[in-house]
Amino acid sequence: MHQIYFYARTLIIGALGGLVGYLLNFPLGWLVGAMLSTIPCAMMGIRVPTHWGLRSVMIGTIGLMAGAAFTPSIVNRAGEWAFSLAGVAVYCVIITAIGLFICLKLGKLDRPTAAFSAAPGGLSEILVLGPAYGADVRALSLVHGMRLAVILIIVPLVIVWVGTGSGPTTMNRTIDFTLSIPFRDYAILGACLVIGIIGGRKIRLPGAHLTGPLILSGIVHYFGFTASSPPQLFVIVAQVVIGTSVAQFFSNTTIRQVLAGLMVGGGLTVVNLCIASIFALAFQTWLDIPFAAGLLALVPGGLPEMSLISIALGLDAAFVSLHHLFRVVMVLMFLPILVPLWIPKPERAAQPH
């Protein structure tokens, strides 16, 4: 019961911050406001824990929304994305190489920590894998947490500024409190959510809480079993829950630690965004992919967070989610193979077995 109080307090703080963000017309204001209201609390030592079960359900809900974009017309275009997927692979190699230089020379991190700090996500998987190879989990949390926070604040602003391919865009500020979709569709989507999360974890899907429901939602929408998406109110709750969960990376940190994380994470973010912009311009020029969609598909924010932004901005969620899933799978495949080859033998001997 005591822990429930802390969970509720975190959500209240995040919701109030999100409301301020919404009223101030921030792009993705509910998410950004929730982050900016809970991160200072975490830094001051105030407990702002995240209920990971609720976060998983909200991430799964985002998966359901992203899966709704997998209509027959979208799936039939999947072959057109081969070149952009190859571009994501090249982009990941470039930013990892530059990121290693920044982490080693600017951040003065040891090799294992530098390797996992430079890797472009997935965030939760990095925080699980990194310590097993001798990486400093606090440094990883600060660097990736800082990068995620900066990307979530900057990218929506950039996309709103440049537009989505059909002129300047604005965030949809209307709030629809109705939950009225047919009961049958609730049942179908609920089954996709539960089976997707549990099944995805059992077969060890990368980002299972999102990808499991996303895949099942994509299947039921493709075959026309439902045309519904979760109500908009769920998007607001998801923004608040995910926004508050970022605060964990800043728990009990000092200003000095945050500044060090900002230096490394900020440096990585600037590099990531600049190179992603170049690739997005190339996508737009040669592949006829709108700059906004290309940028969102490339920047190494979290898979759930980038999917959420694509939904909130009305971009092609299927395109964005597939490219981020490809990035996460690629990183998880090659990182455990390459990092041990790069870590000197004395450091490898010190690793836990």
Side-chain angles (χ1 to χ4, degrees):
M1 185 62 70
H2 194 54
Q3 190 67 7
I4 292 175
Y5 162 77
F6 287 116
Y7 290 144
R9 187 179 67 179
T10 300
L11 290 175
I12 291 170
I13 295 171
L16 291 174
L19 179 61
V20 172
Y22 168 76
L23 294 175
L24 292 178
N25 202 21
F26 289 166
L28 227 64
W30 291 97
L31 183 143
V32 172
M35 281 197 308
L36 295 181
S37 61
T38 52
I39 286 175
C41 294
M43 290 178 61
M44 292 186 292
I46 299 172
R47 291 184 61 185
V48 281
T50 297
H51 190 289
W52 290 102
L54 178 60
R55 185 178 187 273
S56 296
V57 170
M58 289 299 103
I59 288 174
T61 302
I62 296 168
L64 296 179
M65 294 174 179
F70 282 85
T71 59
S73 61
I74 290 292
V75 173
N76 292 339
R77 288 179 47 222
E80 302 172 17
W81 299 343
F83 289 108
S84 56
L85 288 170
V88 169
V90 175
Y91 168 76
C92 286
V93 172
I94 292 173
I95 64 170
T96 300
I98 298 175
L100 280 174
F101 177 82
I102 291 173
C103 292
L104 289 170
K105 302 301 181 183
L106 182 63
K108 306 297 182 184
L109 302 178
D110 58 76
R111 281 198 168 197
T113 306
F116 284 92
S117 294
L123 179 59
S124 57
E125 290 83 2
I126 289 291
L127 293 177
V128 171
L129 278 176
Y133 289 83
D136 181 345
V137 69
R138 169 59 66 88
L140 286 181
S141 298
L142 273 176
V143 171
H144 280 285
M146 191 65 69
R147 177 162 64 180
L148 178 60
V150 173
I151 284 175
L152 289 177
I153 292 170
I154 290 179
V155 169
L157 286 171
V158 171
I159 292 175
V160 168
W161 179 52
V162 303
T164 59
S166 56
T169 188
T170 56
M171 299 291 291
N172 181 4
R173 290 181 48 77
T174 60
I175 301 179
D176 182 2
F177 289 101
T178 63
L179 303 175
S180 55
I181 66 173
F183 176 78
R184 174 179 174 275
D185 290 349
Y186 268 121
I188 292 172
L189 294 176
C192 290
L193 179 68
V194 174
I195 296 171
I197 291 176
I198 296 174
R201 291 175 64 181
K202 285 189 177 297
I203 64 175
R204 297 184 178 179
L205 271 177
H209 292 147
L210 180 128
T211 53
L214 188 155
I215 290 169
L216 293 183
S217 176
I219 291 172
V220 298
H221 282 89
Y222 179 80
F223 287 105
F225 293 113
T226 179
S228 297
S229 293
Q232 188 209 7
L233 193 58
F234 283 73
V235 180
I236 293 173
V237 176
Q239 288 188 50
V240 171
V241 171
I242 291 173
T244 58
S245 71
V246 176
Q248 66 176 312
F249 303 116
F250 299 85
S251 180
N252 291 310
T253 53
T254 63
I255 294 294
R256 185 173 181 176
Q257 288 173 318
V258 170
L259 288 176
L262 180 61
M263 182 176 67
V264 179
L268 290 173
T269 304
V270 170
V271 169
N272 294 167
L273 288 174
C274 289
I275 297 176
S277 297
I278 294 170
F279 272 77
L281 284 172
F283 285 3
Q284 181 173 267
T285 303
W286 290 307
L287 301 178
D288 200 28
I289 295 169
F291 176 84
L295 181 67
L296 202 54
L298 285 159
V299 288
L303 173 57
E305 290 82 359
M306 295 299 102
S307 300
L308 177 58
I309 293 176
S310 68
I311 292 165
L313 287 168
L315 294 169
D316 188 340
F319 174 85
V320 172
S321 298
L322 181 63
H323 283 69
H324 279 284
L325 180 59
F326 175 73
R327 170 181 57 82
V328 170
V329 170
M330 189 176 67
V331 168
L332 294 182
M333 282 178 58
F334 289 105
L335 206 58
I337 297 172
L338 297 177
V339 168
L341 300 176
W342 188 66
I343 299 174
K345 286 185 179 179
E347 290 186 58
R348 257 187 274 175
Q351 293 172 21
H353 296 285

